Amino acid sequence: MIKSHPSEANLFQYVAGELSAGLSLVMATHVDMCSQCQAAVADIEETLCKQEFGSTEPLEALNCEQMMAAIFASSAPKSVVRTPVESMLSLEGKRFNLPNTLARNRDRIGPWSHMVGKLWRAPMQVSSDSSVNLIYMAQGATVPEHTHKGTEATLVVNGTFNDEHDSYHDGDFILLNEKHRHSPQTQQEDCLTLASLDAPLHFTSGISRLLNPFSSLFFR
Ligand SMILES: [Zn+2]
């Protein structure tokens, strides 16, 4: 049971395309896993669709759902047989089932590297405005306490982790900004997460890396 969802404001921004590419990817993956947010996104799409076209067109002549379906259909490649995407990911002898959004973007997932302690990371090439990583925490792992210059979105893909505030399970979505400090940990269970950091320009400069060496583990 997912208990931690994006806010309604975030879902609006997501549908309207106002979020960074990294945050959008984390949100899309959450929506894959969450029927509640799938329903909310469908409602928002319809609301925005009516706002966009409702004032100049007679509403009864417009079926927003059909129009959205037509838009998506027109952008799909035609007469191409889709090859099934590989949805399993292997690490440390374990296999993880990837949600659709990650499976479709599988070719963006870079090689795994060992960070420190019981932490592994695989970068995802998404865009220059955000740094996106799959982070694997083995059992009994601790991420040193850190703050963020910007917005950090984390999604639990599989497993459980805890921080000072709560414990998070499959599908839980956590959004933190520079006001938050936290120290994620795993206990009996391991955890695969997808994490996106929006990158203010100064954050990637050499001096910031020296001041906050841990951040450079996530950023590159
Ligand atoms: Zn949700």
Side-chain angles (χ1 to χ4, degrees):
M1 179 81 180
I2 299 173
K3 63 181 179 186
S4 188
H5 304 266
S7 67
E8 197 179 352
N10 283 151
L11 287 172
F12 257 96
Q13 290 174 304
Y14 165 68
V15 174
E18 292 169 359
L19 299 175
S20 69
L23 184 49
S24 292
L25 180 76
V26 180
M27 297 269 287
T29 309
H30 171 82
V31 171
D32 279 348
M33 300 171 79
C34 179
S35 54
Q36 183 180 322
C37 287
Q38 281 165 25
V41 162
D43 283 351
I44 294 167
E45 281 171 349
E46 191 169 346
T47 302
L48 291 182
C49 190
K50 282 178 180 162
Q51 275 175 11
E52 186 73 15
F53 301 104
S55 59
T56 53
E57 300 285 333
L59 260 186
E60 55 275 13
L62 264 178
N63 180 327
C64 283
E65 260 175 51
Q66 284 176 4
M67 192 163 62
M68 296 300 294
I71 290 167
F72 288 129
S74 66
S75 63
K78 291 191 174 65
S79 64
V80 173
V81 180
R82 286 198 171 197
T83 48
V85 283
E86 170 60 45
S87 64
M88 298 304 288
L89 186 115
S90 298
L91 179 72
E92 290 294 292
K94 286 201 60 170
R95 281 165 69 76
F96 297 95
N97 198 11
L98 293 177
N100 288 339
T101 298
L102 290 184
R104 280 199 306 273
N105 287 283
R106 202 191 157 81
D107 56 346
R108 297 174 186 270
I109 302 176
W112 284 96
S113 58
H114 182 226
M115 288 160 60
V116 60
K118 297 178 175 180
L119 299 172
W120 282 258
R121 167 190 99 125
M124 284 191 77
Q125 300 303 327
V126 176
S127 83
S128 56
D129 67 355
S130 29
S131 171
V132 181
N133 289 282
L134 282 162
I135 310 267
Y136 175 70
M137 305 166 73
Q139 293 173 10
T142 301
V143 179
E145 184 182 81
H146 58 287
T147 55
H148 324 99
K149 299 256 176 68
T151 303
E152 183 193 69
T154 303
L155 174 74
V156 179
V157 178
N158 187 269
T160 299
F161 82 86
N162 308 287
D163 66 11
E164 296 83 341
H165 310 291
D166 213 333
S167 115
Y168 308 96
H169 311 280
D170 291 27
D172 277 331
F173 173 91
I174 307 110
L175 191 65
L176 299 174
N177 62 30
E178 61 272 10
K179 296 188 190 110
H180 300 95
R181 281 170 181 273
H182 74 149
S183 173
Q185 305 185 348
T186 50
Q187 289 167 349
Q188 314 302 332
E189 241 186 294
D190 59 355
C191 192
L192 178 67
T193 65
L194 176 67
S196 163
L197 273 172
D198 286 0
L201 208 57
H202 66 271
F203 195 58
T204 53
S205 73
I207 191 73
S208 293
R209 283 177 183 275
L210 292 175
L211 289 171
N212 187 357
F214 187 74
S215 68
S216 65
L217 291 173
F218 289 101
F219 252 90
R220 47 169 250 172

